[in-house]
Amino acid sequence: PDPVYFHLRIGRLLLKWSSTEETDCNLFVMVDQLHRGACLLNDRNEKIKLAHLCLMAGMKASIKSAFLPSSAYYQAGIGLLSSGEWDSHRELCLELYNSSLETEYILGDFDAMMTHIDEVLNRGGTIEEKIRAYRTLVQSLAAQGHVPRAIETALAVLGQLGESIPMSVTPAQVKLELEATQQMLQLQTIDALSQLEVMRDSRTMEAMRFLYVIT
């Protein structure tokens, strides 16, 4: 018998007869078997299902800090996607590509990371869809010693998030901003500050994360 079909058959049976708990326990074995037979898959829905399983396996491996196999699972999932899936399964595409590029950053595989970053930035329609790729890009630029480019990119993203920050400021401008902040705080008591609403605006929260990255 064809060994490739044999692996596919095993994977299909595991997927069919496993409970939710068993699927989680046997996820790596299931995905490995299905992936070995993936070249025989013709049904689009079955490919999408396997891509979802690859994403789950990659995330599970990443939680265990097994970043190399995690990256391989994400790559396998991406390999099952056609260009049309960006329209019909957009969230899956974004999650696979973003998870892959973030793992590649951890592994120091900057060439593969940039390929996936470019794909997300080209395909993304909103800043929200591009934000994870931008964050990883900024972190990677800083890690590779390209600090000015990292800051420039981060400030450009902050502008898209509605937080315009100049590239350079004078000491006098910094002093004015600090004094204005101190004056606002002086008008508030500790109790009043503790009762302020928690930040909920998603764009402002992303802006804060970017500020943290470049500080």
Side-chain angles (χ1 to χ4, degrees):
D2 185 353
V4 177
Y5 175 77
F6 183 69
H7 287 299
L8 180 60
R9 179 66 174 164
I10 292 174
R12 281 172 168 169
L13 289 172
L14 283 171
L15 180 60
K16 181 178 180 179
W17 297 110
S18 295
S19 65
T20 302
E21 183 178 350
E22 289 170 336
T23 297
D24 182 64
C25 291
N26 300 317
L27 183 60
F28 295 140
V29 174
M30 188 183 301
V31 172
D32 288 343
Q33 291 298 316
L34 287 169
H35 184 251
R36 290 187 183 192
C39 61
L40 298 178
L41 293 178
N42 295 313
D43 183 75
R44 181 188 179 197
N45 291 330
E46 194 171 11
K47 287 185 177 182
I48 294 301
K49 177 64 176 177
L50 179 52
H52 274 288
L53 291 172
C54 287
L55 175 61
M56 291 169 58
M59 294 172 70
K60 186 173 182 178
S62 184
I63 290 172
K64 298 176 181 292
S65 297
F67 297 113
L68 197 59
S70 175
S71 179
Y73 285 125
Y74 293 139
Q75 290 282 359
I78 289 172
L80 293 162
L81 302 174
S82 66
S83 59
E85 308 305 346
W86 279 96
D87 296 321
S88 56
H89 296 89
R90 193 169 191 80
E91 288 302 317
L92 173 62
C93 291
L94 284 169
E95 195 61 41
L96 274 170
Y97 273 88
N98 280 317
S99 297
S100 183
L101 65 89
E102 288 166 351
T103 306
E104 286 154 356
Y105 164 67
I106 293 171
L107 293 170
D109 189 354
F110 296 121
D111 289 338
M113 178 202 72
M114 281 306 307
T115 297
H116 292 135
I117 285 177
D118 288 340
E119 183 73 8
V120 173
L121 296 184
N122 288 330
R123 296 279 190 173
T126 65
I127 185 61
E128 285 80 8
E129 290 184 339
K130 301 176 182 181
I131 200 71
R132 285 174 64 184
Y134 272 131
R135 191 186 308 124
T136 303
L137 174 59
V138 169
Q139 290 174 318
S140 68
L141 287 171
Q144 295 174 83
H146 307 305
V147 177
R149 284 181 58 198
I151 294 174
E152 182 180 354
T153 303
L155 293 180
V157 174
L158 285 168
Q160 294 183 60
L161 291 169
E163 302 294 335
S164 180
I165 299 176
M167 278 290 293
S168 60
V169 293
T170 65
Q173 289 174 310
V174 173
K175 182 180 179 181
L176 284 173
E177 289 294 329
L178 288 173
E179 289 175 348
T181 302
Q182 289 175 340
Q183 288 176 2
M184 285 190 293
L185 291 174
Q186 287 172 356
L187 298 175
Q188 302 285 343
T189 65
I190 297 297
D191 288 339
L193 289 172
S194 65
Q195 293 174 15
L196 290 174
E197 288 189 16
V198 176
M199 185 185 298
R200 290 188 173 86
D201 183 81
S202 60
R203 288 200 167 199
T204 304
M205 292 170 68
E206 283 295 347
M208 294 299 294
R209 293 189 186 100
F210 259 91
L211 285 170
Y212 175 76
V213 168
I214 62 176
T215 54

